[in-house]
């Protein structure tokens, strides 16, 4: 537990948005512009890096060959160090064209792979849409 808290503190001051499944340059640039207005940087994560943990991606960035997405396909955003700005950031991201699933990097999910988080978010989305 102490290790996770220590690792989370490493990324607390860093404002970053991890972009998963974004391949269109115009869309990546639109996400970068939205992030910049909140003092955040972006990192496009290729599919062959979806096997890395979210914490590692937030701290060190993508490392090619770290594992694939498996059955995870689609787009996802992971917001790191932006908890206090979500009310303004989320509409800005939607306006920039991000209609995909989104998550905040937390102490609980930072040890998850990107592929695991994506599958979990898809399950949650399906459960919510099925309940309508």
């Amino acid at each position: 537990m102490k290790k996770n808290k220590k690792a989370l503190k490493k990324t607390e001051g860093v404002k970053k948005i991890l972009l998963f499944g974004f391949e269109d340059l115009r869309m990546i640039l639109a996400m970068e512009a939205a992030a910049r207005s909140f003092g955040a940087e972006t990192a496009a994560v290729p599919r062959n890096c979806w096997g890395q943990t979210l914490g590692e991606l937030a701290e060190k960035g993508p490392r090619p060959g770290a594992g694939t997405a498996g059955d995870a396909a689609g787009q996802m955003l992971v917001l790191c160090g932006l908890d206090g700005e979500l009310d303004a950031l989320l509409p800005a991201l939607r306006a920039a064209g991000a209609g995909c699933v989104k998550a905040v990097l937390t102490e609980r999910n930072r040890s998850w792979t990107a592929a695991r988080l994506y599958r979990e978010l898809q399950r949650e989305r399906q459960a919510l849409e099925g309940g309508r």
Side-chain angles (χ1 to χ4, degrees):
M1 189 72 167
K2 287 182 182 178
K3 185 177 181 183
N4 281 346
K5 284 185 179 182
K6 201 177 223 182
L8 188 59
K9 288 182 181 186
K10 286 183 186 177
T11 55
E12 279 180 352
V14 176
K15 293 181 176 185
K16 184 181 284 188
I17 301 175
L18 301 173
L19 311 173
F20 296 89
F22 286 81
E23 297 171 0
D24 179 63
L25 182 58
R26 285 177 292 179
M27 184 63 101
I28 292 169
L29 293 174
M31 295 300 110
E32 283 182 359
R36 233 185 349 263
S37 65
F38 291 88
E41 60 185 62
T42 59
V45 181
R47 279 203 198 284
N48 67 350
C49 296
W50 282 43
Q52 281 181 258
T53 67
L54 298 171
E56 186 177 40
L57 287 165
E59 291 169 22
K60 301 174 186 169
R63 193 181 76 242
T68 64
D71 62 347
Q75 294 180 329
M76 170 176 73
L77 296 176
V78 177
L79 313 173
C80 311
L82 292 157
D83 304 19
E85 295 158 278
L86 293 177
D87 288 342
L89 178 60
L90 291 173
L93 291 171
R94 273 193 296 278
C100 60
V101 294
K102 299 163 194 73
V104 172
L105 180 67
T106 66
E107 188 173 333
R108 178 179 169 97
N109 68 18
R110 71 177 295 102
S111 64
W112 293 10
T113 64
R116 177 180 175 190
L117 177 64
Y118 181 81
R119 287 190 298 272
E120 180 63 27
L121 292 174
Q122 287 301 106
R123 273 193 292 273
E124 288 177 11
R125 179 179 256 186
Q126 289 169 354
L128 287 172
E129 290 174 354
R132 288 184 183 174

